[in-house]
Amino acid sequence: MAADCIFCRIEKGQIPSKKVYEDARCFAILDINPVAWGHALVIPRAHHETWLDLPADLAADLAKSSQKVGAAVKKAAGAEGFNLLMNNHACAGQAVFHAHLHVIPRKTADGIRFNWTPTPYKPGQLDMAIDAVMVAF
Ligand code: AMP
Ligand code: ZN
């Protein structure tokens, strides 16, 4: 529990927020500022800042919970699909520093854009990137 963490305070019931899903290690709420109707957050009960800080077994439980929440939100929203995404660190858009997964229901031509601008590697750069990543393990 981090006293200044909004998700810890929601988990403890110190801030009112209806939990749409709960299990022993995780819970889910609907995002207060949704990208789409039914946008949910799947949150481990324990306070860890990012995906990399989660103990592996908790990451696995969070992934399992996200499957259940993903199925329910997709059904409730009448969606054809959903995005499962996570912001890690402020540079990646993380605003609440308690690890959480976003479940965003999607429909064809719903107009949601994540503003990615993919750019192909220049010649030779992909091989260099592959090498850099492989030595980083
Ligand atoms: P992130 O940028 O990944 O850290 O996302 C944090 C999310 O938490 C944002 O989408 C907020 O809208 C959402 N959020 C913040 N406070 C609350 C709250 N009290 N209840 C529900 N969602 C919240
Ligand atoms: Zn927390």
Side-chain angles (χ1 to χ4, degrees), residues 6 22 30 44 49 54 69 74 80-81 83 86 97 100 115:
I6 193 159
E22 292 193 74
L30 295 191
E49 201 165 312
L54 294 172
V69 175
K74 181 169 173 274
E80 298 156 48
N83 291 105
M86 186 172 207
F97 296 97
H100 55 280
N115 207 21

Side-chain angles (χ1 to χ4, degrees), residues 15-31:
I15 293 176
S17 181
K18 180 80 182 167
K19 297 181 180 80
V20 294
Y21 170 80
E22 292 193 74
D23 61 36
R25 303 188 82 188
C26 301
F27 66 99
I29 59 174
L30 295 191
D31 196 301

Side-chain angles (χ1 to χ4, degrees), residues 5 8 47 98:
C5 172
C8 284
H47 183 89
H98 177 136

Side-chain angles (χ1 to χ4, degrees), residues 4 6 14 24 31 34 40 42 70 74 79 96 116 128:
D4 58 347
I6 193 159
Q14 294 171 355
D31 196 301
V42 192
K74 181 169 173 274
V96 176
W116 288 358
M128 286 175 62

